[in-house]
Amino acid sequence: MKILHVMQSRYSLPPLKYGGTERVVWYLAQEQQKMGHEVRYLWGNVPNLPDNAIRTEKHKPVESYIDDWADIVHFHRPYDGPLHKPYVCTEHGNADKPKSYSQNCIFLSRSHANNHGATCFVYNGLDWKDYGEANISSPKNYFHFLGKTKAPLKNLAGTVQISRQAGVDLHVLGGNRFNIRKLPYFYPSPSIKFHGMVGGEKKMSVLRHSKGLIFPVTWHEPFGLAITESLYFGAPVIATPFGSLPEIISIPEIGCLSDSYSTLTDAVVNVDRYSRQMCHDMAVEKFSSYPMAVGYQQCYEKVLAGETLNASRPETQGGLLTPLAMRA
């Protein structure tokens, strides 16, 4: 099969540090090549790209770059044609306003699909060989937060509240100690260490030695790579039960889900009740790049056979960026 991935990203490919969606696309394409498929990319006009990628300009319609080479085109954003080739698209985010999608739109989790009036979804996967060895038996004495600290719905403030109430050290990946713009904050406490927007081995080292992920997001999380990356390193997930979380933290041995700050604080204090080995095993077995590639191939085959991925056009009334409430 000849597969064309379309994503007009501002990050190079493969992404060196940042770009969660870009990493998913890269690992998906790499896995597809291992399965014997031919892969090409339509990407943004960025410095570093593989030989099988074409740079695109945003002022030029992306359709004008698509020739007859591909058997199927995979857009990594909502797309609704018309196009002269069979296609699917993946919605990687949440709709804030009413929106309608192509019947061949794929979402990232069952809850993500349901929130957009759809049924078709494929879980994100990562190639764990790039992540190195997990540290199952000897974590250091700190927890971590992984996400954009400036994004209110990721709830850094709630994470800090939980870590303080539990009396634990916190390492923050995804921002700096103070911010004066979108979400002003300043956390001078020496028990909170900020690593900035780190990636690569620096990020892996923090995750590898952490006792757990504190993740009290206040939105319908579409999937959450921070969750599966943490699980891979044996870190239990202490989080809210919103969006995809109950699908990923599907057994009690790998974490705690609650909309109560006191319950999440208790889970942090008693983190040793969870199994680091089971966390790691769940990530490897369910959220690697191979099952993701198999899931997408099933979608491709349906479309190429003339079927649609959803029984009707997915539609949502939006509102999926409205903060969800938590209890004390």
Side-chain angles (χ1 to χ4, degrees), residues 98-267:
K99 192 169 185 177
S100 177
Y101 296 85
S102 162
Q103 277 188 262
N104 291 335
C105 193
I106 304 163
F107 297 84
L108 304 186
S109 63
R110 181 175 288 105
S111 66
H112 190 216
N114 288 343
N115 286 338
H116 294 83
T119 56
C120 183
F121 69 92
V122 175
Y123 290 132
N124 281 337
L126 298 169
D127 188 344
W128 299 121
K129 294 193 300 295
D130 285 356
Y131 283 70
E133 293 295 323
N135 177 14
I136 303 302
S137 60
S138 55
K140 294 182 180 179
N141 194 28
Y142 65 81
F143 289 75
H144 71 277
F145 168 92
L146 177 57
K148 291 182 180 179
T149 59
K150 294 185 290 186
L153 296 173
K154 292 296 184 178
N155 198 12
L156 172 63
T159 301
V160 171
Q161 176 182 329
I162 291 167
S163 68
R164 284 174 171 170
Q165 290 177 343
V168 299
D169 289 344
L170 178 68
H171 285 229
V172 176
L173 301 97
N176 299 314
R177 187 172 295 277
F178 65 90
N179 180 58
I180 60 174
R181 294 187 177 180
K182 186 176 180 180
L183 179 67
Y185 65 78
F186 175 52
Y187 296 107
S189 172
S191 65
I192 306 174
K193 183 174 182 178
F194 284 79
H195 296 266
M197 297 294 290
V198 297
E201 183 52 37
K202 288 184 178 180
K203 169 184 169 182
M204 305 305 175
S205 180
V206 174
L207 300 187
R208 184 175 292 116
H209 299 293
S210 173
K211 295 191 77 171
L213 169 68
I214 304 177
F215 200 67
V217 294
T218 56
W219 77 322
H220 302 276
E221 187 70 50
F223 179 77
L225 291 177
I227 307 164
T228 54
E229 287 178 324
S230 299
L231 289 175
Y232 172 78
F233 285 111
V237 175
I238 315 301
T240 42
F242 303 142
S244 67
L245 270 298
E247 297 172 53
I248 300 176
I249 310 304
S250 57
I251 56 175
E253 292 85 356
I254 64 173
C256 171
L257 300 180
S258 176
D259 64 354
S260 163
Y261 280 114
S262 61
T263 299
L264 296 180
T265 299
D266 178 74

Side-chain angles (χ1 to χ4, degrees), residues 247-318:
E247 297 172 53
I248 300 176
I249 310 304
S250 57
I251 56 175
E253 292 85 356
I254 64 173
C256 171
L257 300 180
S258 176
D259 64 354
S260 163
Y261 280 114
S262 61
T263 299
L264 296 180
T265 299
D266 178 74
V268 169
V269 171
N270 296 287
V271 70
D272 291 339
R273 69 173 63 146
Y274 305 108
S275 168
R276 295 181 64 86
Q277 185 65 57
M278 292 182 74
C279 291
H280 174 76
D281 292 345
M282 177 68 79
V284 171
E285 293 168 10
K286 194 171 181 180
F287 303 111
S288 68
S289 54
Y290 179 73
M292 172 177 63
V294 170
Y296 276 116
Q297 180 163 332
Q298 292 171 348
C299 294
Y300 298 165
E301 291 172 351
K302 286 183 180 180
V303 171
L304 291 173
E307 302 176 40
T308 56
L309 301 182
N310 296 284
S312 58
R313 289 178 63 87
E315 294 186 354
T316 177
Q317 294 303 307

